[in-house]
Amino acid sequence: ETGVTQTPRHLVMGMTNKKSLKCEQHLGHNAMYWYKQSAKKPLELMFVYSLEERVENNSVPSRFSPECPNSSHLFLHLHTLQPEDSALYLCASSQVVLQNVGEKLFFGSGTQLSVL
Amino acid sequence: DAKTTQPPSMDCAEGRAANLPCNHSTISGNEYVYWYRQIHSQGPQYIIHGLKNNETNEMASLIITEDRKSSTLILPHATLRDTAVYYCIVRGGKATSYGKLTFGQGTILTVHP
């Protein structure tokens, strides 16, 4: 148990569906992240939220829409996805302290997404 | 952030020490070396990190060479549950870079009975 919980664990959706991934952290951290892990590819950073403000968007297509309503919750809203978006989507959190780069990321177990 | 090079795979016998090397010859002075691992179907797990001194915690030891161009992660008594992909990551010291870890392909460590 890492203190970061992701739901659902598995998701199958059609290309016309709208779904949301949920992440909750119980660690009191002030930053949250979405990463994507496609088959046989390295993890890719998608979005970063710090103190509920989006501070990073790594050229992610608009069919992925993140939302961070508070410091403990992070959502990834999905709509009109493509089959190539099938991947493991991982949420992570950390405590960011300026001038201290020894931060640790705590990851959830991920949502395995299949787009048909 | 500096690029890292790791062997694609390694084997280790259960109960023996697993020594995982990482080359980061372009590392700069304010960059840390991080190690994470990912067990199948789970998210990555933080193991250890260091700047220039050797570090040890309950999971592993990190040995960084004096010139900081390479490092070794040591699992002192490997168990079957240590079978995973191990990632060596070098990350810069910018205060606003948050958790921007750049994961490579890592080393697949297989621990055999």
Side-chain angles (χ1 to χ4, degrees), chain A:
Chain A
E1 178 58 51
T2 64
V4 179
T5 304
Q6 289 187 244
T7 55
R9 190 75 174 87
H10 301 273
L11 178 62
V12 179
M13 60 185 290
M15 289 190 285
T16 58
N17 292 157
K18 291 184 180 180
K19 297 286 184 183
S20 296
L21 309 184
K22 179 183 176 182
C23 176
E24 182 175 1
Q25 59 100 355
H26 311 275
L27 302 169
H29 289 164
N30 58 10
M32 297 187 75
Y33 314 82
W34 281 115
Y35 277 82
K36 174 185 177 182
Q37 188 171 32
S38 303
K40 299 184 180 180
K41 291 179 67 176
L43 279 84
E44 306 169 62
L45 179 65
M46 300 175 72
F47 301 104
V48 179
Y49 275 82
S50 176
L51 298 173
E52 299 146 45
E53 281 193 40
R54 189 188 313 178
V55 297
E56 188 84 19
N57 178 344
N58 270 4
S59 303
V60 179
S62 60
R63 57 186 183 269
F64 295 91
S65 175
E67 178 189 3
C68 187
N70 55 61
S71 61
S72 299
H73 294 86
L74 185 65
F75 295 89
L76 187 63
H77 303 300
L78 316 171
H79 63 98
T80 60
L81 294 191
Q82 304 299 311
E84 58 264 30
D85 296 322
S86 298
L88 180 66
Y89 289 85
L90 290 156
C91 173
S93 71
S94 72
Q95 182 64 25
V96 177
V97 178
L98 293 181
Q99 308 306 319
N100 178 358
V101 295
E103 62 184 288
K104 309 171 190 176
L105 263 64
F106 292 79
F107 285 83
S109 296
T111 294
Q112 186 65 54
L113 174 67
S114 297
V115 182
L116 304 179

Side-chain angles (χ1 to χ4, degrees), chain B residues 39-58:
Chain B
I39 297 171
H40 183 63
S41 299
Q42 297 182 24
Q45 176 190 22
Y46 166 85
I47 301 173
I48 199 167
H49 75 281
L51 184 62
K52 51 185 176 181
N53 298 321
N54 297 338
E55 302 287 345
T56 295
N57 62 21
E58 65 279 3

Side-chain angles (χ1 to χ4, degrees), chain B residues 27-40:
Chain B
I27 193 170
S28 60
N30 66 345
E31 290 183 314
Y32 284 72
V33 179
Y34 286 79
W35 283 85
Y36 282 75
R37 73 180 183 184
Q38 187 173 21
I39 297 171
H40 183 63

Side-chain angles (χ1 to χ4, degrees), chain B residues 7-113:
Chain B
S9 64
M10 294 183 64
D11 291 335
C12 178
E14 189 177 20
R16 305 296 292 268
N19 298 287
L20 292 92
C22 179
N23 183 287
H24 32 79
S25 57
T26 60
I27 193 170
S28 60
N30 66 345
E31 290 183 314
Y32 284 72
V33 179
Y34 286 79
W35 283 85
Y36 282 75
R37 73 180 183 184
Q38 187 173 21
I39 297 171
H40 183 63
S41 299
Q42 297 182 24
Q45 176 190 22
Y46 166 85
I47 301 173
I48 199 167
H49 75 281
L51 184 62
K52 51 185 176 181
N53 298 321
N54 297 338
E55 302 287 345
T56 295
N57 62 21
E58 65 279 3
M59 290 184 68
S61 294
L62 174 60
I63 308 298
I64 302 174
T65 58
E66 192 170 343
D67 63 8
R68 303 208 325 121
K69 294 185 177 182
S70 65
S71 61
T72 301
L73 178 74
I74 301 173
L75 308 178
H77 306 286
T79 70
L80 299 178
R81 290 178 296 178
D82 293 321
T83 293
V85 181
Y86 286 77
Y87 299 100
C88 170
I89 301 166
V90 171
R91 181 163 168 266
K94 300 174 185 176
T96 58
S97 61
Y98 301 102
K100 290 178 64 176
L101 300 178
T102 301
F103 288 81
Q105 298 290 352
T107 295
I108 300 172
L109 174 69
T110 304
V111 181
H112 298 284

